[in-house]
Amino acid sequence: MSAIPENEVVREARRVLRKLADAKARLVRAQDGRWAVVQRGDARSGRVKTTAGMVACFRERSWLEPGVDDALLLSATGRAWLTGEQIGTDPYSAQHQLLRLRPMHDDSGEETTVVVNDGESPLGWLHARAAIDDLQLEAGERLRRDYTLAQLEPRVCIDLSAPVVLGGGSAKAGFISDTALAAKQRFRKAMSAVGPGLSDLLFDVCCALKGLEAAEKAKGWPRRSGKVVLALALDRLAGHYGIRGAPQHARMRGWAAEPEAAAG
């Protein structure tokens, strides 16, 4: 076993392994003899480095596994250890949750890794069952993040068409932070880009955390139709964020026309 103190190994593992939590990331040997975390499509990757001695410690603990071209990847054991470290829970409570490591980007593009419980939100529940894909989940989570940062959660009703006015309202409202104001503006732009109808369902599922079946029932929609509408709404949201190209509008028109045809 290595002579490196355990607390140093743990501290370095938290720093390095969380970068490897992204499925596109891998650990490769750098020219200076150290190991660097690189990620496909990220020009800034390679900045996180660690020593060969630390990598040996990680491998002794089975936190890394071999990849292609002599690269190293985060193993299932390493992922489980990192998840437990970040949430501070024991394996017995964790096994009853849908926990996963989720790479997230802030507004500046910097990446961090957070632990999320897919069982806590309708989007996570749908993603865990392959009902929505990674990009749709990312778009929905970004909307939810802005909704939370904008401090809109306590309000029961939100007028999405109302403009953001600086200096209006009560004296307390005038102290809204720049972060909250920017998030509110991003939230309104995103909901406006998705459009009426679709944005209503997005709000119910992503922000109000209403289950899809409950949302369908409240709107009087046919059973399972919400999944189609939600997928279109998330695709359009992802297009607004630049995650993927926006879908064609005809898909929504075709779905909406089905009840009329049946009534005829």
Side-chain angles (χ1 to χ4, degrees):
M1 294 291 290
S2 170
I4 301 176
E6 183 66 18
N7 63 326
E8 292 186 17
V9 175
V10 170
R11 183 170 58 249
E12 185 70 352
R14 289 171 181 160
R15 185 181 73 91
V16 176
L17 298 190
R18 70 183 182 88
K19 293 295 184 180
L20 285 175
D22 192 307
K24 296 179 291 185
R26 65 192 192 279
L27 196 62
V28 301
R29 195 185 300 272
Q31 293 181 350
D32 60 6
R34 293 187 295 171
W35 289 76
V37 178
V38 299
Q39 183 173 331
R40 296 190 303 272
D42 186 354
R44 299 173 302 172
S45 66
R47 295 185 299 178
V48 175
K49 294 184 178 182
T50 191
T51 64
M54 279 294 182
V55 171
C57 290
F58 299 163
R59 300 189 74 171
E60 287 174 357
R61 292 161 175 76
S62 300
W63 292 342
L64 300 173
E65 62 183 13
V68 298
D69 298 329
D70 297 324
L72 297 174
L73 307 174
L74 182 63
S75 68
T77 301
R79 190 175 295 273
W81 176 85
L82 183 60
T83 302
E85 278 290 307
Q86 293 199 221
I87 64 176
T89 190
D90 60 273
Y92 297 101
S93 60
Q95 68 182 351
H96 298 294
Q97 304 177 51
L98 296 174
L99 299 176
R100 65 186 174 89
L101 295 170
R102 173 72 173 164
M104 297 287 288
H105 294 83
D106 59 23
D107 296 334
S108 65
E110 287 294 324
E111 180 183 293
T112 186
T113 302
V114 297
V115 177
V116 296
N117 181 2
D118 279 340
E120 290 183 342
S121 73
L123 277 184
W125 190 92
L126 291 168
H127 180 262
R129 289 155 180 79
I132 61 175
D133 62 30
D134 292 345
L135 297 183
Q136 291 169 326
L137 176 65
E138 181 178 348
E141 286 184 340
R142 187 179 297 189
L143 183 72
R144 169 70 183 177
R145 176 175 175 268
D146 278 341
Y147 172 74
T148 303
L149 288 175
Q151 303 172 9
L152 297 172
E153 284 186 290
R155 299 177 60 182
V156 177
C157 298
I158 298 175
D159 181 6
L160 299 176
S161 63
V164 178
V165 180
L166 291 173
S170 64
K172 184 178 180 180
F175 290 99
I176 184 171
S177 68
D178 291 341
T179 298
L181 179 60
K184 183 180 291 187
Q185 291 172 335
R186 290 194 303 268
F187 179 78
R188 294 191 191 282
K189 288 179 181 178
M191 296 294 271
S192 177
V194 171
L198 294 179
S199 61
D200 293 343
L201 184 61
L202 271 185
F203 181 86
D204 286 346
V205 177
C206 300
C207 304
L209 303 181
K210 184 181 293 186
L212 201 53
E213 290 186 6
E216 289 173 347
K217 186 175 181 180
K219 296 178 184 301
W221 290 356
R223 189 178 179 184
R224 297 189 179 89
S225 60
K227 187 179 295 185
V228 177
V229 180
L230 180 63
L232 177 58
L234 289 171
D235 281 343
R236 196 170 293 178
L237 184 63
H240 167 72
Y241 288 140
I243 300 174
R244 68 156 52 122
Q248 297 296 320
H249 299 326
R251 182 179 170 188
M252 181 62 181
R253 290 198 300 269
W255 176 86
E258 288 179 5
E260 298 177 3

